[in-house]
Amino acid sequence: MKLRNINRGLVLGGVLALGVVCYSVYDNNQFKTSKPEIEQTMRDYIADLTSANVGSSDKLKSQLTDFVNKHYADYTTSDNEYASSKSGLLEEINQAEVATQGGDITSAEYDIKEMSINKSGADGAKVIMIYNVCYDVSKGDPTFLTTNGINTMTSGNYTNSDNYEPSSSSYKAIFSYEYAEFYLLHTSDGWKIATSSGYGYGEDYTFDDNNTDSVADESKAESEIIPDSSLAESSDSAENSDSEGADSVE
């Protein structure tokens, strides 16, 4: 009798272990089919984020609010105290003095250099991105939105031009984001961002009108020039390639 009970326990344990393995394989396969949608979601996010910062200051607050409502999900729990959520970004936008800033962003160009997509939890994904943005600024130091929240340009700290006057000089502002981290949730409306954050970014300001340098280079992965207009949507796509620990898109 004891041996029979032990055998029954072993069988039930084996069935349970097999079920866990089968579910894990199924779940991972389901996530792989979601990667193209997640990738496109992030490409649209960067395109719309860049575009939302372009335009006159009197329209900027409404553009940024619409952007956050479109791309972020309501989410209140996060292990990362430095990450930005939907409610936090909306609060920052509402408090920012964007309507009184001294200049506007007139156009922009972005370049997505790297993207990795990995599963996170039952219905989530973690995305790491490296990307650059180049803004054309009419004058002054405008406010703009990043993955970390509202930021303000500091062109006066970086100029090497004796003729630079913040109140009247136009320039290019180039931002290099070396590690942008996103957690996404699968909702009834598709994949939405729960939290976003960025670490280790660089900034550079160009005041020479004859300088044609931009964020793009000869081997760039993706770029889009965004004029002063309504929010743009990116339709670019790239191939996913599996690698150890992460899947990169170039």
Side-chain angles (χ1 to χ4, degrees):
M1 180 66 69
K2 290 183 178 180
L3 182 61
R4 186 175 300 172
N5 288 337
I6 291 173
N7 289 341
R8 182 180 299 173
L10 290 174
V11 171
L12 291 177
V15 170
L16 179 61
L18 180 61
V20 171
V21 170
C22 291
Y23 176 78
S24 178
V25 171
Y26 170 79
D27 195 36
N28 286 330
N29 287 337
Q30 287 294 103
F31 180 75
K32 285 183 179 180
T33 64
S34 299
K35 283 188 175 182
E37 182 183 355
I38 296 172
E39 178 197 336
Q40 189 60 50
T41 296
M42 295 310 304
R43 293 185 181 279
D44 292 342
Y45 172 91
I46 296 298
D48 288 353
L49 173 60
T50 307
S51 179
N53 285 315
V54 176
S56 58
S57 56
D58 59 331
K59 298 179 180 179
L60 193 58
K61 184 172 289 189
S62 63
Q63 289 178 187
L64 297 179
T65 299
D66 290 344
F67 163 79
V68 172
N69 285 326
K70 175 182 177 181
H71 287 279
Y72 283 81
D74 293 319
Y75 185 75
T76 56
T77 303
S78 176
D79 294 332
N80 184 355
E81 61 179 315
Y82 300 106
S84 296
S85 63
K86 180 179 181 179
S87 60
L89 289 173
L90 290 176
E91 183 177 357
E92 284 194 49
I93 293 169
N94 186 55
Q95 294 177 351
E97 298 296 332
V98 296
T100 59
Q101 62 190 23
D104 299 323
I105 297 173
T106 57
S107 65
E109 179 184 357
Y110 69 89
D111 177 9
I112 298 176
K113 292 186 173 297
E114 293 184 23
M115 185 191 307
S116 69
I117 303 172
N118 289 281
K119 183 174 174 56
S120 178
D123 294 306
K126 179 181 178 180
V127 177
I128 304 296
M129 296 182 66
I130 298 175
Y131 69 99
N132 294 350
V133 181
C134 178
Y135 291 114
D136 289 306
V137 181
S138 61
K139 61 182 179 179
D141 287 318
T143 295
F144 63 108
L145 183 66
T146 72
T147 59
N148 268 356
I150 291 292
N151 204 348
T152 302
M153 295 185 188
T154 57
S155 61
N157 295 335
Y158 290 84
T159 179
N160 55 7
S161 171
D162 294 334
N163 298 322
Y164 172 63
E165 297 179 4
S167 61
S168 60
S169 296
S170 61
Y171 59 89
K172 290 182 180 292
I174 303 173
F175 295 88
S176 303
Y177 299 95
E178 299 300 327
Y179 189 96
E181 182 178 87
F182 305 86
Y183 283 92
L184 283 74
L185 297 175
H186 190 255
T187 71
S188 58
D189 295 325
W191 288 92
K192 300 291 183 179
I193 295 173
T195 62
S196 60
S197 55
Y199 307 95
Y201 81 93
E203 56 185 312
D204 186 37
Y205 298 89
T206 302
F207 307 93
D208 184 359
D209 292 338
N210 296 321
N211 193 324
T212 58
D213 291 342
S214 69
V215 298
D217 57 31
E218 294 180 358
S219 60
K220 68 180 180 180
E222 172 191 16
S223 66
E224 184 77 15
I225 296 176
I226 302 176
D228 184 352
S229 61
S230 60
L231 296 186
E233 292 196 5
S234 169
S235 60
D236 295 329
S237 62
E239 297 180 354
N240 284 323
S241 59
D242 293 333
S243 61
E244 183 178 355
D247 296 314
S248 297
V249 179
E250 295 186 358

